[in-house]
Amino acid sequence: EDQVTQSPEALRLQEGESSSLNCSYTVSGLRGLFWYRQDPGKGPEFLFTLYSAGEEKEKERLKATLTKKESFLHITAPKPEDSATYLCAVPMDSNYQLIWGAGTKLIIKP
Amino acid sequence: SAVISQKPSRDICQRGTSLTIQCQVDSQVTMMFWYRQQPGQSLTLIATANQGSEATYESGFVIDKFPISRPNLTFSTLTVSNMSPEDSSIYLCSVDVGRTGELFFGEGSRLTVL
């Protein structure tokens, strides 16, 4: 069964304290992995697409990496404005509809 | 990219009534998606709305409960019918402009059913 699991559910960091969020997936033929950011009361905002193991994408303090079984979203020296829920999603085996993880709620304390 | 406007942004409704959510996109798109996000949970696809054809509903969602209209390439509506408290949720519309899986979302409509 296609599945996406994110960990941890919530992560509290001090400003400047780097860490990583995990997204593990089980689909037989990966056709992309997507990271989104969602602020409270808003719709998700697209961040990255990764297509193959070893690929990396960066945007400001965020870097997404991909292996054959999981993806990491590394956050370096985070700021309070990085606080949000981070969602990952992959297309299903049978079609291109996305399977979404439950998200990681990231809280950066000043 | 795409800019998506949803209305209403939030509403409080009585049990048994119906509410229609509107989604307007600033460009023409083939496929529009309606999602539900229950408190503290991830996104669940309700249906895919294609212009000129019937919407395609996911398992657990039926047309009588969630009728969808797609009159043109920039607009869609989702109606939540005969509401119960279990329908309290955020409803989101989204589009895939480049058909790449990179979705753009509206701000969401937060629905509370009493």
Side-chain angles (χ1 to χ4, degrees), chain B residues 7-14 17-21 83 88-89 108-114:
Chain B
K7 291 193 294 187
S9 58
R10 59 178 61 230
D11 207 340
I12 299 174
C13 302
Q14 295 298 317
T17 63
S18 298
L19 178 74
T20 296
I21 301 167
M83 289 183 285
S88 297
S89 189
S109 300
R110 181 181 293 272
L111 175 61
T112 301
V113 184
L114 303 177

Side-chain angles (χ1 to χ4, degrees), chain A residues 36 38 43-44 49 97 100-101, chain B residues 35 37 42 58 101-103 105-106:
Chain A
Y36 288 80
Q38 185 173 25
T49 308
Q97 291 168 15
W100 293 84
Chain B
Y35 280 92
Q37 187 175 31
S42 192
E58 297 304 305
E102 298 173 9
L103 299 180
F105 285 84

Side-chain angles (χ1 to χ4, degrees), chain B residues 11-89:
Chain B
D11 207 340
I12 299 174
C13 302
Q14 295 298 317
R15 181 195 298 260
T17 63
S18 298
L19 178 74
T20 296
I21 301 167
Q22 299 179 4
C23 179
Q24 179 75 52
V25 188
D26 69 341
S27 58
Q28 295 185 339
V29 293
T30 303
M31 297 171 74
M32 295 178 74
F33 306 94
W34 286 99
Y35 280 92
R36 182 172 73 183
Q37 187 175 31
Q38 294 180 307
Q41 297 190 23
S42 192
L43 286 75
T44 301
L45 182 64
I46 298 171
T48 301
N50 295 324
Q51 194 269 336
S53 64
E54 292 289 329
T56 303
Y57 289 83
E58 297 304 305
S59 175
F61 299 96
V62 295
I63 188 170
D64 289 346
K65 175 68 175 177
F66 297 101
I68 288 171
S69 78
R70 183 77 201 276
N72 57 53
L73 291 173
T74 63
F75 187 78
S76 178
T77 67
L78 170 75
T79 299
V80 186
S81 303
N82 188 24
M83 289 183 285
S84 66
E86 292 71 36
D87 295 319
S88 297
S89 189

Side-chain angles (χ1 to χ4, degrees), chain A residues 25 30-35 46-58 63-68 70-74, chain B residues 102:
Chain A
Y25 58 89
L30 185 68
R31 292 174 291 172
L33 184 143
F34 304 92
W35 281 99
F46 171 76
L47 291 174
F48 303 111
T49 308
L50 301 166
Y51 288 105
S52 57
E55 187 175 0
E56 298 183 354
K57 294 272 181 76
E58 287 191 62
K63 183 169 78 173
T65 62
L66 182 66
T67 72
K68 289 185 178 179
E70 58 192 348
S71 176
F72 292 94
L73 186 64
H74 307 278
Chain B
E102 298 173 9

